[in-house]
Amino acid sequence: MEILSSIENGILTLEFNRPERKNAITAAMYQTMADALTAAETDTAVRAILLIGKADIFTAGNDLEDFMKTAPAGGAIEDRSVYKFMMALSGATKPVVAAVAGNAVGIGTTLLMHCDLVYAADNAKFSMPFVQLGLCPEFGSSLLLTQIAGYPRAAEKLMLGEAFGAQEALEMGLISKVLPGAELRAFAEGQAAKLVALPASSIRVTKELMKAARKAPVSDAIAAENTHFGAMLSAPEAKEAFMAFFQKRKPDFTQFA
């Protein structure tokens, strides 16, 4: 099972479990998580959700080989299981806690912006190398990171795509707390347990009110990003970036205007 899913004491835990591939996410893994999040909406046994990886890796982001292989005919982003997962996560009415250790690459960082409580181990590293792949930000990250960190810092992280550590992520406001790696999981589970013990209706309404002002702007940003992302995915720059990745070489973008 590349996604471990369990419900215990009111907490739905979704755990990346593909360490041999650095928890790179396939279409099937996205679909599993999308289905679990969708089912959780009407499951009274679920009062909080926990997303977690391994002690040395959260996720390396998309499995690029699988991502290209499973591209729908016509390339519509909305047809991809990753879109279904991210929409289920973004629209979740129940509180979502994320616990990050090791690398959180690409969508591994993007998805955190749609969670409610995010905790990181001191070995965590975050990166959004979309430009380096000839692509653009995804799933509202162009808007959300700017709101979270301010334009100058968001521009640095999204344009250069370079990795940054847990302490910087805390200073930016991307995460809530940094913990020693050995304490991360227990702490995140404890925070989720606190949410379970609180009135579900109060948590739901509080989350709804907090997200209300950004709901339409995020939806608009996702739509705009999808339009550009879909077009760029088949453009020469992305083809060069993906080819270089598979050939284990540095891409050459100087040939493109």
Side-chain angles (χ1 to χ4, degrees):
M1 297 289 289
E2 294 179 333
I3 295 293
L4 299 179
S5 178
S6 63
I7 299 173
E8 188 173 354
N9 298 324
I11 303 170
L12 166 64
T13 299
L14 297 175
E15 179 178 348
F16 294 116
N17 186 44
R18 200 186 181 208
E20 72 282 0
R21 294 297 299 273
K22 299 182 179 180
N23 284 346
I25 312 172
T26 64
M29 293 165 70
Y30 281 124
Q31 191 62 57
T32 296
M33 293 189 290
D35 291 343
L37 291 174
T38 300
E41 282 295 302
T42 55
D43 188 346
T44 56
V46 176
R47 295 172 67 93
I49 298 159
L50 174 63
L51 301 179
I52 195 166
K54 300 301 183 185
D56 59 346
I57 181 73
F58 185 62
T59 172
N62 283 315
D63 182 312
L64 292 183
E65 184 176 355
D66 179 82
F67 186 80
M68 299 307 295
K69 182 177 65 178
T70 59
I77 299 294
E78 292 80 1
D79 292 335
R80 290 179 178 268
S81 55
V82 59
Y83 180 85
K84 297 171 185 176
F85 162 66
M86 286 302 299
M87 291 304 96
L89 177 62
S90 179
T93 60
K94 297 179 181 182
V96 182
V97 180
V100 182
N103 288 344
V105 180
I107 199 163
T109 294
T110 298
L111 69 83
L112 302 176
M113 302 177 207
H114 296 273
C115 297
D116 302 300
L117 305 178
V118 182
Y119 303 105
D122 49 17
N123 71 337
K125 283 193 175 182
F126 308 85
S127 62
M128 292 165 283
F130 307 120
V131 169
Q132 294 169 338
L133 290 171
L135 301 171
C136 68
E138 59 180 4
F139 296 113
S141 56
S142 61
L143 172 68
L144 292 171
L145 190 63
T146 303
Q147 292 179 338
I148 290 167
Y151 184 89
R153 219 159 192 179
E156 182 181 58
K157 303 313 177 190
L158 289 172
M159 290 182 181
L160 296 177
E162 296 171 345
F164 54 99
Q167 192 58 44
E168 186 173 2
L170 179 64
E171 293 167 4
M172 289 168 55
L174 180 64
I175 64 175
S176 304
K177 191 178 184 69
V178 180
L179 299 117
E183 300 175 13
L184 177 66
R185 182 166 190 139
F187 182 85
E189 290 175 340
Q191 295 297 86
K194 290 179 185 178
L195 292 167
V196 168
L198 291 168
S201 59
S202 295
I203 294 291
R204 182 174 61 254
V205 172
T206 298
K207 177 172 179 172
E208 180 182 346
L209 291 169
M210 291 175 67
K211 288 197 167 188
R214 76 182 201 187
K215 186 175 182 179
V218 169
S219 180
D220 290 344
I222 291 174
E225 289 167 347
N226 283 352
T227 298
H228 290 294
F229 196 98
M232 297 176 81
L233 196 57
S234 58
E237 292 89 341
K239 290 180 179 178
E240 164 63 12
F242 279 58
M243 184 70 71
F245 176 83
F246 292 125
Q247 294 176 350
K248 301 186 187 307
R249 62 173 173 81
K250 187 176 181 179
D252 177 15
F253 297 121
T254 60
Q255 58 188 302
F256 309 114

